[in-house]
Structures are given as C-alpha cells and as structure tokens.
Amino acid sequence: MILLVAPAPEPPFTPPAIEGDDVNQGALEDSLRTAFASTVGFGPWPLGPWRVRLHPDAAAFEKATGAPPGRSGQWLGDTLHLRPWEQLRRRDLGAILRHELTHRRLRDARLRAWAEEARCLWAEGHAKPPQTWPAGPPAGVQGRLDRALAGGATREQAWAYRWLRAWLRGGPLPPPPGRTGAAAERWVKEAPILAETVTVVWPAERLRGPMVVNGHRLSHRLGRTWRFQGTVRFQAGFPVGPLRGTVQVRAERHGWRLAWTAPRAAWIAAATEGELGADSPFEARRALAAVLSRWLDGHPRQHQGGVLCPLTHCAVVRGAAVPATMQAVESAPVLDLDFRWAFFTGSAGGHPLSPREVWGDGPAKAGVATEVPGDRWLAWERRLDATQVAALKRDVAVGLRPGQLGMKLGASGPYAVEALRLAAGRRYGWTAWPSNACEAELLADGSLRLKGRGWGHNVGLCLSAARFRATQGATAEQILAEAFPPSWRTP
C-alpha cells in the first residue's frame, strides 16, 4: 500500500515585531501581509518569530546593513532591515517586500546566491515561479554572479542584477564589466538604477503659454533648461498638477518640454489616478495598479529615448497621485499575467474582446466586462462620409491575421477593424470611431454607418466595469479574475 502524504499547509501570517516609526507600522504590516500571501508559491515560510526594523534615515540603514544606496531591504538573521518609510513609498514597496519575503522562504533551499536572487527578482512581479526556469548560465558566469552578489563593487553588482533580469525575460545578456580597478572600487552614492524609475515627457506643443514653477516665472529663451528636485508645483490652470521627483523643463520653439522622472511606483500611482480619477473606488484603483505594474514589466520604454508619454498611448498622467492611490499601488495584487496582454480599456460597453480578435495574436478568449448602467459607451453610432471612407482605404492595408476581426468596405478588404479605428482616430479625432466592437454598413452614397459598444480597443480590464464592480463590493482580485481568463496568464 502506498501512503500519500499531503504537504504541510501554509501557516497563517503572523505579524513580525516591528521596530521604529510608530506612525507607519500599521501600513507596513498590511503591506507585509499582502506580500506574504503573494509569495506562497516560492517556498514554505520558516517557523519562528521574525522582526522588521524601519530605520529613521538612510545613513542608519546603510550603517546597520552595509547595503549600497540602491538596496531597500536587507536580512540580518531573522530581522528584516528596511529603509525609512518615505523612501520605501517613493520606490515600489510591494515589489521590495515580495523580494525580501521570498529570500526568507528560500532560506533553507540551499540555492546558489545567483539562483536565489533570480527567484526573488521573479517574485517581484509574479505570484508563482514559471513552469520552467531558463537554462542555467555556464559555471564561470555562475561563479562571477555569486561573487558580485556577495560583495562585488558597484558596477559588478549592477551588472549582476542586469544580467539576472535579462536572463529571466529571455533578453540579450549584458557582458561583464572590465576588471581594471574593480577590486578596489567601493560603494558610491549613485542615481537609481534605470529599471527602478520611469520618465514621462510632455511634448512642447502641449504646454504653451507661460511657465511658472514653484512661484517663479521662467523666461522662454530657446534651449534654456531648468532642473527641479522634490515637489514641483505649477501655476493655477496649468494642465499638469504637482509632481514629486526630478522635473526638467526646457524652452522649445512651440512651448515647453517637461520631463518627469520618478520611481516606478509613483508612475503607476499617477497613471492609475490619471485614468480612473482620485475619487474612484479604492478596489478599482488596486486593480488598475496591478495591470499597469505588469504592463510596465514588458513596455518600459515606449518612445524614443526610453520614455513614456502622458497620453492614452501609454497611460494618462496629470500629476502626482494622492496618498490613497499610493496605498492602492502598495497593496495591489501581483497579477499572474503574460505582460503582452496586460491591457485596459476605457469601457468595453459590456462587449469585451480578446487580443486575438483585435491584433491577431495572443489568447482567443475574451474576459468578462459587466454592462454598466448609465455608461455613455454602452452603445454608440457614428457615420463617416464617402471622402473619409476613401481616405481610410488609402491609409489601411488589406489583410487580416488569424482570428482578427475585420470588415470589408464595399468590394475592397477585408481590413482589420483595429487598423481602421486607429486610422480614423488619427485623421478625424478619437471619437470618430470609438471602439473595435462594432458593425458597419456601407451606404449607397459611399458613406459608412457604424454601430458599436465600448470606448477603446475593448481588451483587458474595463475601467468602467472596474468602478462599477468595486461599488458593488468586489475586490481587486475578483475584478481582475473576471477581466483576465486563465489562458492569459504567464506561461
């Protein structure tokens, strides 16, 4: 007889003893609880008490741990040392805690340093390990990674983390730095690693007129550049609200180019608020923050120069987020989703579409999006005249990818609906053809009558449904489970 022994159940979350910063201990415990639940798939939680120490300032953290400026947490025995709360909030607190709690879960796994660190990096954005890990590096590379992680110089450890992240995503592997002088190099204060920050650029043509920063009017002399750090405020009526981080302003011929660089979590919060609004239900904000975090994993550099825009092409940003939205980001669930399909749409109009239907690639099954009473995009009608239809035929190539939605325009076609929608938006404004879930009728005079549902591409998280479901009491986890079928998950 064969006896099957069930694995021991995961012990319930037991809060650690938290030292330092009495004001923010409750918020930290909530974030630890969420990170604990999100890392169950990476190994058993060791039994016994544990502690967390929130240091009062960066110097105290670095003195206690010997950690470099780029690191936010460090285990010493059963105590997790963390940087000051305000620094943690400006970084991605959820990712930091998932990373560090995974280290504790792997404490007894006897993995090599590079393999353990790779798993912790993966846990930052995934709720469970992949089905198979990439093939291991050659022995010599493994040794160098281990040495770099154990105490390499600044550039050596930076290379190790870049190498591990590239290895995990299957990208080109960066060559190791030269050895000249490396043994004698010491940790130095340096800018945050590029992967931890996001830069948003407002093009000059969108920011015309005067520019007043923190009460001072800037002179519009072509090419002149100003750089501001901390909280930056603009004049009343300016299309951009206060920003926190690094802001660079440059006078250009058609206006002002404004670039905002901030931690990843700050961008996610600003984009969440820009898309949903500061008064949207908290659970809806948690859901969108989870999608944006996963999207950013695969789309960190949308525009030339490695930047994002503040428009719907990337995500709407109107200024820094309020504290409640930052809390939504910190407590957002880890979305087990292939980042290629981490999309959201303004409204699906109760008629969501799959990636395959819209782009001819990816999962063929659509998620669920509730019809929202009073949604202005529940149904719409438009009409394009014959001249406009002729222009779209010139703009859009004939042909469809497998499974892609298409339509014929008279005798010509089929054309991909998504391509027609985008071409119409560029030519005639984005309300000319509101969504992909539509039907068309070519009339005798050559004009096109459109009837449809939704606003946007209709794929992924429907923001209108997210708001509505949250007001009904649904959690972010429930909202995301409805929007993203299992077939969309990380392979």
Side-chain angles (χ1 to χ4, degrees), residues 19 21 80 121 136 304 419 456:
E19 303 172 356
D21 195 348
L80 174 59
L121 291 172
Q304 185 177 6

Side-chain angles (χ1 to χ4, degrees), residues 369-407:
T370 307
E371 289 191 3
V372 178
D375 181 2
R376 63 177 292 204
W377 300 110
L378 200 56
W380 54 262
E381 293 188 19
R382 296 289 188 276
R383 185 165 175 168
L384 301 176
D385 62 34
T387 302
Q388 292 174 319
V389 173
L392 294 184
K393 288 182 180 180
R394 292 193 299 270
D395 289 347
V396 180
V398 174
L400 300 175
R401 302 179 71 178
Q404 191 174 22
L405 292 176
M407 64 173 59

Side-chain angles (χ1 to χ4, degrees), residues 255-267:
W256 304 88
R257 180 187 185 273
L258 190 153
W260 173 48
T261 300
R264 171 190 173 103
W267 176 84

Side-chain angles (χ1 to χ4, degrees), residues 374-458:
D375 181 2
R376 63 177 292 204
W377 300 110
L378 200 56
W380 54 262
E381 293 188 19
R382 296 289 188 276
R383 185 165 175 168
L384 301 176
D385 62 34
T387 302
Q388 292 174 319
V389 173
L392 294 184
K393 288 182 180 180
R394 292 193 299 270
D395 289 347
V396 180
V398 174
L400 300 175
R401 302 179 71 178
Q404 191 174 22
L405 292 176
M407 64 173 59
K408 298 193 71 173
L409 299 178
S412 62
Y415 302 91
V417 175
E418 167 73 348
L420 291 170
R421 181 183 73 87
L422 293 177
R426 295 186 187 103
R427 274 187 173 270
Y428 311 120
W430 296 105
T431 60
W433 192 317
S435 72
N436 287 316
C438 61
E439 298 176 350
E441 178 185 4
L442 191 66
L443 304 179
D445 62 357
S447 64
L448 189 68
R449 178 187 294 154
L450 294 165
K451 293 183 178 181
R453 307 177 72 176
W455 166 248
H457 49 57
N458 294 65

Side-chain angles (χ1 to χ4, degrees), residues 111-115 136-153 156-157 159-160 163-164 176-177 179:
L111 296 171
R112 292 188 62 160
W114 74 267
V141 175
Q142 293 186 36
R144 186 158 187 178
L145 289 168
D146 287 344
R147 291 190 297 273
L149 294 169
E156 193 80 6
Q157 276 210 359
W159 162 77
W163 195 98
L164 289 172
R179 295 182 178 274

